[in-house]
Amino acid sequence: MKPSIVYWTGSGNTQIIAEAIQEAIEDLGMQCESNYVSDVTADDVKDSDIFFLGCPSMSGEAVEEYEFRPFLDDLLPHVAGKKVVLFGSYDWGDGEWMVSWNQEMIDSGAEVLDRYQIQWEPNDEQLANVKEKVTSYFKM
Ligand SMILES: Cc1cc2nc3c(=O)[nH]c(=O)nc-3n(C[C@H](O)[C@H](O)[C@H](O)COP(=O)(O)O)c2cc1C
């Protein structure tokens, strides 16, 4: 499986999750960059078989609108039949952004394997859990 990690972060929390995902994949002997969303285009990653997409909850319980949303809109036509894992940090909400984002992926034909929504900065236990789950997808 060819993985891609693409994330947006404002204050670094979602980036920490992205780096844990990258580490877990590299520990399996694969190469995988963790890309800040503005450094790649949907075209660059569209041939992946499994997408790890990260974005925190932003204003109005939504994904970030200026960088992540345009990328996501470009990627959606390419996710049908692909495996997807969504991740991101949040604060005061109830995780609603992840629910609607998940639905959007399903509506586009993706198979959402998992969603990691982590309040504030992830702790060591949460990161270990993320890595364990990531490893499991490649052993399916
Ligand atoms: C402009 C802005 C809007 C936000 N909107 C929400 C929100 O609607 N719901 C929520 O739970 N957290 C919201 N947050 C909090 C962030 O999701 C939270 O701080 C998260 O940890 C940021 O992740 P990051 O460090 O990857 O940027 C908002 C933060 C900012 C700066």
Side-chain angles (χ1 to χ4, degrees):
M1 273 201 294
K2 188 177 166 200
S4 281
I5 307 169
V6 183
Y7 68 92
W8 183 91
T9 192
S11 49
N13 297 332
T14 302
Q15 182 176 356
I16 294 170
I17 308 171
E19 286 168 355
I21 294 169
Q22 181 184 13
E23 226 177 282
I25 294 172
E26 288 180 348
D27 284 350
L28 290 168
M30 284 180 276
Q31 265 204 327
C32 185
E33 279 182 18
S34 171
N35 298 294
Y36 185 78
V37 69
S38 295
D39 296 335
V40 284
T41 65
D43 220 43
D44 293 333
V45 297
K46 68 178 183 345
D47 293 332
S48 303
D49 313 298
I50 177 165
F51 296 101
F52 294 87
L53 304 176
C55 188
S57 179
M58 294 302 283
S59 311
E61 290 294 325
V63 295
E64 191 276 334
E65 61 186 315
Y66 300 110
E67 293 178 293
F68 196 81
R69 170 48 65 186
F71 167 81
L72 188 60
D73 285 344
D74 287 347
L75 186 68
L76 285 176
H78 305 287
V79 299
K82 304 281 184 83
K83 296 182 192 320
V84 173
V85 175
L86 307 179
F87 63 96
S89 177
Y90 70 105
D91 187 349
W92 57 82
D94 58 4
E96 204 187 311
W97 102 105
M98 192 66 93
V99 173
S100 47
W101 184 12
N102 178 54
Q103 193 57 51
E104 205 178 346
M105 301 310 298
I106 291 170
D107 291 346
S108 298
E111 179 192 355
V112 182
L113 296 181
D114 244 318
R115 299 181 273 170
Y116 314 147
Q117 53 185 73
I118 295 177
Q119 197 174 29
W120 308 310
E121 185 177 330
N123 62 36
D124 289 348
E125 192 185 333
Q126 289 166 324
L127 292 174
N129 197 21
V130 162
K131 285 175 154 184
E132 200 175 309
K133 284 181 165 184
V134 170
T135 305
S136 73
Y137 312 139
F138 293 91
K139 295 189 169 164
M140 287 201 286

